Amino acid sequence: MNIQSLAIGIALLGGVTSLSNAQTTADTTAKPVVKTYQARSPKTQPFGAEAFGPSKQTTIRWLGFAGFFVNSRGTTFMVDPVLEGFDMPVLIDFPIAPKAVPKLDAVLVTHADNDHFSVPTNQDLKEVTKAYHSTIYVDSLMQNLELPALGHTIGESFKVGPIRVKLTPADHAYQNAYPGMSKRRFKNEDACGFWIQTPDGTIWAPGDSRLTPGHLSMPTPDAIFFDFSDSEWHFTFEGAVKVANAYPNTPLLLCHWGSVDAPDFSPFNGDPARLAKAIANPGRIKVLAPGEPFMLKPLTKSK
């Protein structure tokens, strides 16, 4: 099987040495694929320290890649931030530099791939971040980097100020399918999603995962950090459509697209126009520019 069918390439594997090497995202033996079109995100809207201040609402900003910044009534956190140092050419300008971040109550990381767990980014956020949260495995990698990290089991909840976060299951142990990729046997609980309850509504960040029945039977969230890439180790495009239609009124904040210059690599190449033609109620698709604010509001629940 061509390694380009992987969700992201080779994961960051145990210890600082492996972490510093990033990951390989292309098979050098594969024939190049010629593609003339790649969907790109809108122009970046930079933001600064003002976005981290007191607030009477919950504001979400896409950071590019699969990353988001949330300021919920003054409690600030990032999910899977990649703000520098990625090992492939990027298509976006990052909306804020790590060293320009004044404070974070937390960083949440879904899994160890370097388009979610960016070592350079997190090392530069260390001095302004109170705590890092992830799975038990990713916590071990964070501890090696001397980050103030806490590891959690799937289903476990924790609090970030008034925000309650619960780890949701993921199926992303793709390394085991490719002999020689890792000496370690990966487990599904090494990766996770996050169910985030704020005073202004619930956010679901599924993380990278193959589609499971559980993804279609969650309580209705008020926003989804939505990965719609057509990769067999993600939802797949058809699976993403099923997820979208399982929650037909939930705003979909698109991510995992338009950020990396890799037109032959499916995990980075979702197209919002294609998605809009395939799902119910396409007007809820939010094609945010990196840094653009989105105000979270609770959905009006039908009786």
Side-chain angles (χ1 to χ4, degrees), residues 33-176:
V33 176
V34 177
K35 184 177 178 181
T36 58
Y37 173 75
Q38 183 176 9
R40 300 193 179 199
S41 69
K43 184 178 179 181
T44 294
Q45 298 181 16
F47 63 93
E50 72 286 347
F52 296 79
S55 175
K56 296 181 180 180
Q57 58 195 1
T58 296
T59 303
I60 302 169
R61 299 173 192 265
W62 182 44
L63 298 173
F65 289 75
F68 287 87
F69 166 62
V70 181
N71 181 337
S72 183
R73 304 194 182 192
T75 298
T76 59
F77 60 95
M78 290 182 176
V79 179
D80 288 349
V82 177
L83 297 172
E84 63 180 341
F86 193 59
D87 63 342
M88 296 174 66
V90 299
L91 298 171
I92 63 170
D93 295 320
F94 296 112
I96 189 168
K99 292 184 178 180
V101 173
K103 68 181 183 73
L104 286 172
D105 292 294
V107 170
L108 316 181
V109 176
T110 60
H111 64 289
D113 290 347
N114 76 342
D115 62 327
H116 295 259
F117 178 38
S118 166
V119 172
T121 299
N122 286 295
Q123 286 180 319
D124 279 342
L125 291 173
K126 175 182 176 181
E127 298 303 318
V128 297
T129 301
K130 291 182 181 179
Y132 291 79
H133 297 272
S134 189
T135 64
I136 299 297
Y137 171 61
V138 178
D139 171 60
S140 71
L141 304 182
M142 292 176 168
Q143 295 290 343
N144 287 337
L145 295 170
E146 299 184 344
L147 301 177
L150 297 166
H152 306 276
T153 57
I154 303 300
E156 182 179 343
S157 295
F158 60 91
K159 295 195 76 176
V160 179
I163 311 301
R164 180 172 292 277
V165 183
K166 181 178 180 180
L167 274 69
T168 60
D171 179 351
H172 197 56
Y174 63 86
Q175 298 90 341
N176 302 332

Side-chain angles (χ1 to χ4, degrees), residues 179-235:
M181 174 171 282
S182 172
K183 295 180 180 179
R184 181 181 186 274
R185 181 74 183 177
F186 277 76
K187 300 174 287 186
N188 280 335
E189 56 263 38
D190 294 336
C192 70
F194 293 111
W195 187 261
I196 304 166
Q197 295 176 283
T198 82
D200 300 298
T202 301
I203 305 165
W204 181 27
D208 288 3
S209 177
R210 293 193 291 191
L211 183 65
T212 71
H215 289 117
L216 304 177
S217 58
M218 303 287 287
T220 299
D222 298 300
I224 302 176
F225 295 167
F226 197 68
D227 170 13
F228 59 110
S229 57
D230 191 19
S231 167
E232 66 179 302
W233 289 98
H234 295 221
F235 288 151

Side-chain angles (χ1 to χ4, degrees), residues 225-266:
F225 295 167
F226 197 68
D227 170 13
F228 59 110
S229 57
D230 191 19
S231 167
E232 66 179 302
W233 289 98
H234 295 221
F235 288 151
T236 72
F237 181 78
E238 291 75 15
V241 170
K242 290 180 181 179
V243 173
N245 289 340
Y247 313 98
N249 297 310
T250 298
L252 307 175
L253 281 56
L254 303 189
C255 65
H256 227 296
W257 77 285
S259 303
V260 179
D261 188 2
D264 59 345
F265 196 47
S266 63

Side-chain angles (χ1 to χ4, degrees), residues 12 16-24 87 114:
L12 300 167
V16 177
T17 301
S18 294
L19 287 168
S20 67
N21 291 335
Q23 62 196 21
T24 301
D87 63 342
N114 76 342

